[in-house]
Amino acid sequence: MADPALKLRRGFTLGARHLAYAVIAFIFVLPLWWAIVSSLRPNTEVFADIFPFTVNALLPSPLSFEAYTGVFERGFGLIIANTMFVAIVTMIGGMIVNGAAGFAFAVFDFKGKKIILTLIIISFMLPFEAIALPLYTVTLQLGWLDHVAALIVPSIANGLAVFLFYQFFSQVPKDYLEAARLEGVSWFNILLRIYVPLSIPTCISAGLLLFVFQWEAFLWPLLAMPSQQFKVIQVGMAAFQQQYQTIWNQLFAVSVITALIPIALLLPLQRYYVQGLAGAGIKG
Amino acid sequence: MVRSKTPLFLLAVLLAPALVGLVVFRLYPIALAVSDSFFNMLRGNQVFVGLDNYVALFTDSAFWKSLQVTLWFNLLINPIQIALALGLALLYVQKFKGVAFYRVLFLIPIGVSLPTAVIIWRIMLSPDGLANGVLNIAGVPGQPWLTSESLALYSIIAIATWKGISYWMIFIIGGLQNISPEIYDAARVDGIKPWQRLVFITVPLLRPTLLFVLVADVSINFLLFAPIFMLTQGGPADSTNVLMYEAFKSGFIFGDMGRAMAIIVVVVVILLLIVGLQFRLLAGKPEGK
């Protein structure tokens, strides 16, 4: 360890590593960084410093908040609130509905369990987009077209979330459960007192999954809300892009707000998100 | 399993909401797509026409072109995304001082939803945008990224890849963490080179994870819609007109739901075929078992 040559070489490889990682991370973050910087410029300055390119293009100069005040004057706050509402209701509903199903699959043995589980796995292998067009017809039949229920209800039951809960609850030692049953504890209390507290990490990862899913949804809100009475962010943003093509800084401001909300949620909770998804990948 | 009798009422209460949801909003729509594809539904009609929609589809050059675009797009994007996601995952799991900072940055595109990424990239790829500005430093003339027949599809691949690989990286990390470190220790003792370690140890042991990721990635990319709708509307000259967009156009722009549903059925069938084939090719037992 005291060998200075070795120390130097270690320092060098560490430096080389940092450099390589920084370059990759830079490429990863560049689009979002440029969006943030450009959203903080006046509209006339968005493309300044790009031809010829100078480093100034990646710095917010001159600093201006006109884009942000502009988008909120356009009613963008309501669109964000709408989207939050849809995502949060889906998230909470999804935790309950998919968690209950996951619990039932993990704890009870019943006829047809294998077949139903297989169907659930198939249903999450077919992404929402595959069924969006026929789902439009279903929504029409239910009379939910242009109603916010159409955005929420079909998204609550989620095969992947059921699978996450099922996988987690299967790992809970059965001794707990048998001991509790022998003592005469009711199923409801077992669920509430043992399984719910244990499942908080799984709830977080499934909840994030459902939240992000709604935050990403595009084709479905486009079809389900033809009149756009209840605007959600993605479709609202696409419309915004078409109507206000040249107000670049506002387009950027909208993108930045839309990106930062899920990022703010994911960063502190990333451990759960990574664990949840990674776990699904191993067993898949 | 628990020896005491399964309480059927409780079981029904627990399962019903999820099952009803999955049946009504996932499985029933697929059945509906199949049955509606046998009807002529132009102008509010609903006349049974048997296989006419399919016959019309398979004799239509626009459909074949769209199928070709979709297959080419998937042939490129899925291997690219998985190779890059694997590389990124290998970087993510390294341990050295300060790596936590990069880990957070690697995860950022996951938070940026696809439609948001599309808008940011659209401006980046515009004629005066950052992409052409950076090319300009190297003295390369600006490119018509999204308006050229030869580039638009590749630009969409770049955007979807930027957005997607962190997500796939997470699944691969799960697989990597499952490989016992002793295998690598043994390899180190045997003097195995890093690239051999990757090719002969990591990738074979990751096979189940990579299979899962490949299947899920294909099914998402096969149905990719938002970037096409927001950026190119299938153009220029149908060069980005994937099947999902063709189905949307048929149903919601030309009002021909029968044709749209027939395309959806074709898409789902191809998807199931590809997924089945992937399982066949890749799901063999790992070596030595």
Side-chain angles (χ1 to χ4, degrees), chain B residues 5-280:
Chain B
K5 227 176 74 187
T6 300
L8 283 177
F9 177 72
L10 178 71
L11 190 65
V13 170
L14 290 172
L15 278 178
L19 288 186
V20 170
L22 290 172
V23 169
V24 175
F25 301 118
R26 295 291 195 286
L27 302 177
Y28 171 61
I30 291 178
L32 199 65
V34 174
S35 75
D36 279 0
S37 70
F38 299 126
F39 285 84
N40 177 341
M41 308 222 278
L42 270 170
R43 287 175 295 273
N45 262 348
Q46 206 156 2
V47 184
F48 183 80
V49 292
L51 291 171
D52 279 10
N53 284 322
Y54 292 96
V55 172
L57 216 52
F58 288 114
T59 50
D60 180 356
S61 64
F63 169 77
W64 286 108
K65 165 90 202 229
S66 173
L67 180 65
Q68 192 193 329
V69 169
T70 312
L71 292 176
W72 178 235
F73 177 75
N74 275 278
L75 212 58
L76 291 176
I77 193 169
N78 295 302
I80 291 174
Q81 286 194 352
I82 289 167
L84 290 176
L86 174 61
L88 201 64
L90 290 169
L91 292 180
Y92 185 98
V93 296
Q94 302 290 317
K95 286 185 186 112
F96 63 91
K97 220 176 168 182
V99 75
F101 172 70
Y102 301 112
R103 284 183 178 168
V104 170
L105 296 183
F106 285 179
L107 289 170
I108 286 208
I110 295 176
V112 183
S113 71
L114 186 58
T116 308
V118 165
I119 289 191
I120 296 173
W121 276 81
R122 187 179 89 91
I123 312 175
M124 268 191 22
L125 296 179
S126 69
D128 318 320
L130 193 62
N132 283 342
V134 172
L135 282 188
N136 193 253
I137 309 174
V140 181
Q143 299 295 317
W145 300 106
L146 295 166
T147 49
S148 135
E149 209 182 314
S150 56
L151 277 179
L153 192 70
Y154 304 101
S155 301
I156 289 174
I157 288 178
I159 298 169
T161 301
W162 178 82
K163 159 65 192 151
I165 56 176
S166 310
Y167 185 71
W168 302 121
M169 170 191 79
I170 291 184
F171 291 93
I172 298 174
I173 291 168
L176 285 174
Q177 285 168 344
N178 239 23
I179 300 178
S180 122
E182 283 132 43
I183 298 175
Y184 289 116
D185 291 342
R188 204 166 299 127
V189 172
D190 291 344
I192 293 188
K193 293 191 181 72
W195 68 268
Q196 289 174 322
R197 214 161 62 202
L198 177 68
V199 174
F200 297 113
I201 302 175
T202 309
V203 170
L205 286 175
L206 270 184
R207 195 149 79 167
T209 310
L210 290 176
L211 174 67
F212 174 87
V213 171
L214 182 64
V215 168
D217 194 25
V218 167
S219 51
I220 284 181
N221 286 323
F222 212 79
L223 300 161
L224 203 70
F225 178 81
I228 315 287
F229 178 87
M230 292 171 70
L231 293 173
T232 61
Q233 312 256 311
D238 285 338
S239 62
T240 62
N241 190 33
V242 293
L243 285 172
M244 261 323 272
Y245 192 74
E246 179 70 14
F248 170 81
K249 218 162 56 173
S250 301
F252 290 88
I253 297 176
F254 301 127
D256 189 349
M257 274 299 210
R259 185 177 197 267
M261 294 305 176
I263 297 175
I264 291 295
V265 171
V266 170
V267 166
V268 170
V269 168
I270 296 176
L271 197 55
L272 292 177
L273 281 177
I274 295 177
V275 168
L277 193 71
Q278 285 167 342
F279 271 106
R280 261 263 159 97

Side-chain angles (χ1 to χ4, degrees), chain A residues 77-111:
Chain A
L78 181 68
I79 300 182
I80 291 276
N82 284 348
T83 317
M84 287 294 261
F85 173 77
V86 167
I88 289 171
V89 173
T90 308
M91 183 174 83
I92 295 170
M95 284 177 189
I96 298 168
V97 165
N98 301 309
F103 172 79
F105 282 120
V107 169
F108 299 120
D109 224 357
F110 52 91
K111 240 185 174 175

Side-chain angles (χ1 to χ4, degrees), chain A residues 40-250:
Chain A
L40 293 171
R41 287 168 167 236
N43 193 41
T44 48
E45 296 290 314
V46 168
F47 295 111
D49 305 314
I50 288 180
F51 289 99
F53 186 84
T54 68
V55 181
N56 273 343
L58 298 178
L59 301 169
S61 61
L63 195 64
S64 149
F65 292 95
E66 69 171 47
Y68 288 90
T69 50
V71 295
F72 283 104
E73 275 164 21
R74 284 233 163 79
F76 190 68
L78 181 68
I79 300 182
I80 291 276
N82 284 348
T83 317
M84 287 294 261
F85 173 77
V86 167
I88 289 171
V89 173
T90 308
M91 183 174 83
I92 295 170
M95 284 177 189
I96 298 168
V97 165
N98 301 309
F103 172 79
F105 282 120
V107 169
F108 299 120
D109 224 357
F110 52 91
K111 240 185 174 175
K113 183 164 134 171
K114 270 227 164 101
I115 298 167
I116 300 176
L117 258 177
T118 312
L119 277 177
I120 285 177
I121 292 169
I122 290 172
S123 90
F124 84 69
M125 280 297 175
L126 273 180
F128 213 74
E129 273 72 15
I131 50 116
L133 266 62
L135 189 60
Y136 173 84
T137 314
V138 177
T139 309
L140 212 60
Q141 289 169 352
L142 289 169
W144 288 359
L145 207 63
D146 265 324
H147 194 283
V148 64
L151 296 183
I152 295 171
V153 181
S155 315
I156 286 180
N158 181 301
L160 182 54
V162 172
F163 192 64
L164 284 180
F165 278 107
Y166 163 67
Q167 223 172 252
F168 176 78
F169 287 140
S170 301
Q171 290 162 7
V172 177
K174 292 282 177 294
D175 326 358
Y176 275 10
L177 206 131
E178 304 207 345
R181 283 302 291 164
L182 283 176
E183 304 232 334
V185 183
S186 74
W187 283 111
F188 182 73
N189 273 330
I190 289 177
L191 177 60
L192 213 66
R193 299 268 168 80
I194 303 177
Y195 281 80
V196 170
L198 279 174
S199 73
I200 287 170
T202 312
C203 275
I204 296 174
S205 57
L208 286 175
L209 199 88
L210 292 160
F211 186 94
V212 170
F213 172 81
Q214 282 292 25
W215 207 263
E216 293 257 5
F218 182 79
L219 177 56
W220 180 237
L222 183 74
L223 300 182
M225 284 285 150
S227 77
Q228 293 288 301
Q229 285 169 345
F230 186 94
K231 271 198 187 113
V232 288
I233 184 94
Q234 310 308 351
V235 181
M237 217 162 61
F240 194 82
Q241 178 206 317
Q242 279 149 13
Q243 279 169 35
Y244 304 103
Q245 297 252 12
T246 53
I247 315 179
W248 305 105
N249 64 348
Q250 292 196 3

Side-chain angles (χ1 to χ4, degrees), chain A residues 26-40:
Chain A
F26 179 73
I27 296 170
F28 257 71
V29 178
L30 181 64
L32 187 62
W33 176 256
W34 190 54
I36 293 171
V37 162
S38 305
S39 72
L40 293 171

